[in-house]
Amino acid sequence: MIGASLNAARRAAELESLAGGEAVDVVVVGGGISGAGVALDAASRGLSVALLERRDLAFGTSRWSSKLVHGGLRYLERGEWGLAWESARERERLMSTIAPHLVRPLPFVIPLGAGIGAAKSAKTQIGLRIGDGLRIGARTSRRVLPPARRISALEARRLAPALSGDGLRAALLSWDGQLEDDARLVVAVARSAAALGARILTYAGVTAVGADGVAAVDELTGAAFSVRARRVVVATGVWAGELSPSVALRPSRGSHLLVPAGRLGDPRAAVNVPVPGERGRWVFALPRADGLVAIGLTDVPADGPIPDVPTPSPEEETALLEQASAALEVSLGPGDVCGRYAGLRPLLADEGAAATADLSRRHAVIDDDGVLTLVGGKLTTYRAMAQDVVDRLTDRPCVTHRLPLAGAPGAPPATPPRLARRYGAEAVAVAAAGSLEPVAPGVPICEAELRWAVEQELALTAEDLLERRTRAGLVPEWREAALPAAARMAPWSWSPSPSGTSATSAS
Ligand SMILES: Cc1cc2nc3c(=O)[nH]c(=O)nc-3n(C[C@H](O)[C@H](O)[C@H](O)COP(=O)(O)OP(=O)(O)OC[C@H]3O[C@@H](n4cnc5c(N)ncnc54)[C@H](O)[C@@H]3O)c2cc1C
């Protein structure tokens, strides 16, 4: 599919017509993967749609994930067969039809060393075999994701050179899907929705929802407006409780550290090791295509006000470095960390019981007098979640399982690798948008990406360009070096004022 051209001019025109009284079938609140997924599903069934996002596309949790497209292996451990099957089936759809340009196979090594005894090793192998069964059931070819197998210690260390050889008997090798970038998936879904007519308004914060529409504020000008709609869907992630009083959430934080891949011998496979003394928790080191390795993942309560941008605590950082180093030949320290990020999982505080329900695996759709709130779930299953919601709005059949996103199936040969990985079939047009030279020495981003993001992907501010379209912001050094180029290109400068309103100016 060709993505729509989303930019400041289109936003202004669409905002004017909606604020002027034009009614739509569905208003979606929230521009993370859940909201973008609902907008695409609804638009592709012929409904008129407006999506309102308080900040930018992928502003929330959707950019802070581990960037995996899971086949559901982790759910098997808890006996959640339905969820595991749904994940395997959605993974297949993403990798074969919907976004093959953004999802690639990633090998995982589980070292069989001192930390994994014979019983745990046998149990893990059974799990991997069942995972293979799900892969076959979902019709994912072994050429895309090869079956799991046992490998020698030598082979394991060839794939992950920093793996500790201490007591290493052998290893298990399995495969899963890895996203190039979670924020790029959100942008691709939103632009695909826009290509089918959806209105995508960023910097449009919703202040109240009702059965017949929403009240909102244009965060760029401070002007209040309302949008009339037949149905309203709230998909504001961990902020769901702000608009849907019956949804009470208690988030938990998951943090990642980024280290240069060279420090770990440029691994070709992820390493996955159980955290000693913690049942069911694993720490992983995931090689990324940008020369970094992501080390994760923590799970700590994050009570109190929900921050715009969560950050890992020093204790989480120490724990991750220690847990990863225990499995490696190198001892990682704070000086190895070149970036860090954290995301919040929504935990639903169950009204009746004091217990909490973990919505980070399952999604829920809550109906509050006609306003539907979608909360929880996974990036991997965003399409199925959106289908579940839109099935409640219309009888027209869902088509998103066979709808390629903007950029699918992929770039032609000889496209610059970074552009091919991030833009797929649109990479040629991106390359034609500007210079392909890095915007600053050592920063893997070119001017053409910035220009494309402003003209086609609704990047309005320098922050949109750095933090969500190009992800320069993942490494503070890159962010700082790229900031002058981004600031020159951005049509707006924007910053939240202490009072909660926004201070803006057109550049
Ligand atoms: C640490 C971590 C790792 C994860 N790793 C993976 C993984 O590897 N694979 C996977 O499949 N899943 C993963 N997940 C799960 C996945 O990231 C989330 O399920 C998903 O991103 C949630 O998306 P969302 O759209 O529901 O919420 P969000 O992405 O948070 O989007 C909500 C949006 O609503 C906007 N908003 C809030 N209030 C308003 C308002 N009043 N008006 C307008 N807009 C508003 C926000 O600005 C935000 O952009 C992970 C989650 C965490 C926390």
Side-chain angles (χ1 to χ4, degrees):
M1 177 190 292
I2 307 289
S5 300
L6 292 182
N7 48 45
R10 176 166 168 163
R11 173 189 177 277
E14 292 182 344
L15 197 151
E16 195 183 332
S17 78
L18 290 167
E22 187 194 336
V24 290
D25 291 323
V26 191
V27 162
V28 181
V29 187
I33 192 62
S34 303
V38 171
L40 175 58
D41 190 311
S44 62
R45 296 198 215 190
L47 300 177
S48 57
V49 179
L51 181 151
L52 273 62
E53 158 59 47
R54 180 160 57 185
R55 293 289 194 85
D56 181 25
L57 294 171
F59 181 82
T61 306
S62 296
R63 65 176 153 143
W64 303 130
S65 78
S66 305
K67 301 159 202 349
L68 294 174
V69 171
H70 304 293
L73 201 55
R74 61 187 55 195
Y75 310 127
L76 293 174
E77 228 176 336
R78 300 168 203 249
E80 296 188 87
W81 292 90
L83 203 50
W85 167 242
E86 183 177 70
S87 298
R89 200 185 48 195
E90 293 303 319
R91 177 183 66 182
E92 162 60 19
R93 289 173 171 157
L94 278 162
M95 294 186 84
S96 66
T97 309
I98 297 173
H101 60 304
L102 290 176
V103 190
R104 69 184 66 91
L106 178 69
F108 281 78
V109 166
I110 300 177
L112 299 178
I116 298 198
K120 173 101 182 162
S121 157
K123 196 173 154 210
T124 308
Q125 286 188 68
I126 292 170
L128 291 179
R129 245 178 248 143
I130 299 173
D132 263 342
L134 292 174
R135 173 188 64 77
I136 293 165
R139 295 171 185 255
T140 306
S141 116
R142 55 194 299 152
R143 277 197 316 277
V144 177
L145 294 177
R149 64 186 170 92
R150 197 181 163 99
I151 56 173
S152 68
L154 192 70
E155 193 177 346
R157 296 189 70 203
R158 264 205 296 264
L159 289 166
L163 195 59
S164 167
D166 236 12
L168 187 66
R169 310 185 299 277
L172 303 175
L173 177 66
S174 61
W175 296 74
D176 216 335
Q178 181 181 36
L179 266 173
E180 164 65 23
D181 180 12
D182 41 13
R184 291 222 58 81
L185 178 69
V186 176
V187 171
V189 174
R191 287 183 61 238
S192 304
L196 296 169
R199 263 69 73 86
I200 309 287
L201 302 183
T202 54
Y203 293 90
V206 169
T207 49
V209 294
D212 58 353
V214 301
V217 62
D218 178 350
E219 302 279 349
L220 296 180
T221 62
F225 65 100
S226 53
V227 180
R228 291 191 300 127
R230 208 168 48 77
R231 297 303 299 267
V232 174
V233 176
V234 175
T236 52
V238 284
W239 293 277
E242 290 176 11
L243 292 174
S244 315
S246 68
V247 180
L249 295 176
R250 290 178 47 198
S252 122
R253 192 171 56 242
S255 296
H256 295 83
L257 306 178
L258 297 171
V259 300
R263 182 74 175 105
L264 301 179
D266 294 311
R268 286 183 290 133
V271 172
N272 217 355
V273 285
V275 176
E278 290 194 43
R279 204 169 153 263
R281 259 203 68 217
W282 297 70
V283 65
F284 53 70
L286 305 171
R288 300 158 42 101
D290 57 6
L292 302 172
V293 172
I295 295 177
L297 178 68
T298 58
D299 187 355
V300 298
D303 291 330
I306 297 168
D308 271 1
V309 179
T311 46
S313 68
E315 293 76 25
E316 286 172 275
E317 190 157 333
T318 306
L320 283 174
L321 289 173
E322 279 173 5
Q323 287 157 4
S325 298
L328 301 173
E329 213 133 66
V330 292
S331 175
L332 294 173
D336 294 311
V337 178
C338 62
R340 48 185 65 72
Y341 64 88
L344 298 177
R345 303 177 183 87
L347 302 187
L348 187 67
D350 190 347
E351 322 86 52
T356 58
D358 185 353
L359 285 178
S360 62
R361 297 193 305 276
R362 284 190 177 285
H363 72 275
V365 183
I366 297 148
D367 189 340
D368 258 327
D369 296 331
V371 175
L372 298 182
T373 297
L374 168 63
V375 66
K378 290 268 147 201
L379 283 152
T380 306
T381 52
Y382 83 87
R383 194 211 60 81
M385 290 156 51
Q387 178 175 352
D388 183 10
V389 171
V390 181
D391 279 349
R392 298 165 200 236
L393 307 180
T394 178
D395 291 337
R396 298 177 201 168
C398 177
V399 296
T400 50
H401 54 284
R402 49 184 160 81
L403 193 64
L405 296 182
T415 306
R418 176 178 162 91
L419 299 189
R421 289 194 322 263
R422 299 178 70 79
Y423 302 91
E426 293 188 315
V428 177
V430 178
S435 159
L436 298 182
E437 290 301 309
V439 291
V443 180
I445 292 156
C446 62
E447 191 227 339
E449 290 175 74
L450 300 181
R451 194 173 294 284
W452 175 263
V454 167
E455 291 173 358
Q456 305 288 332
E457 297 182 340
L458 199 51
L460 299 179
T461 69
E463 207 201 284
D464 298 349
L465 287 167
L466 299 176
E467 306 296 335
R468 284 151 315 254
R469 299 303 178 279
T470 63
R471 307 310 301 267
L474 285 173
V475 177
E477 222 174 279
W478 293 352
R479 178 200 294 131
E480 207 175 308
L483 181 58
R488 272 196 305 277
M489 198 77 78
W492 284 83
S493 62
W494 188 93
S495 60
S497 76
S499 66
T501 57
S502 48
T504 51
S505 60
S507 299

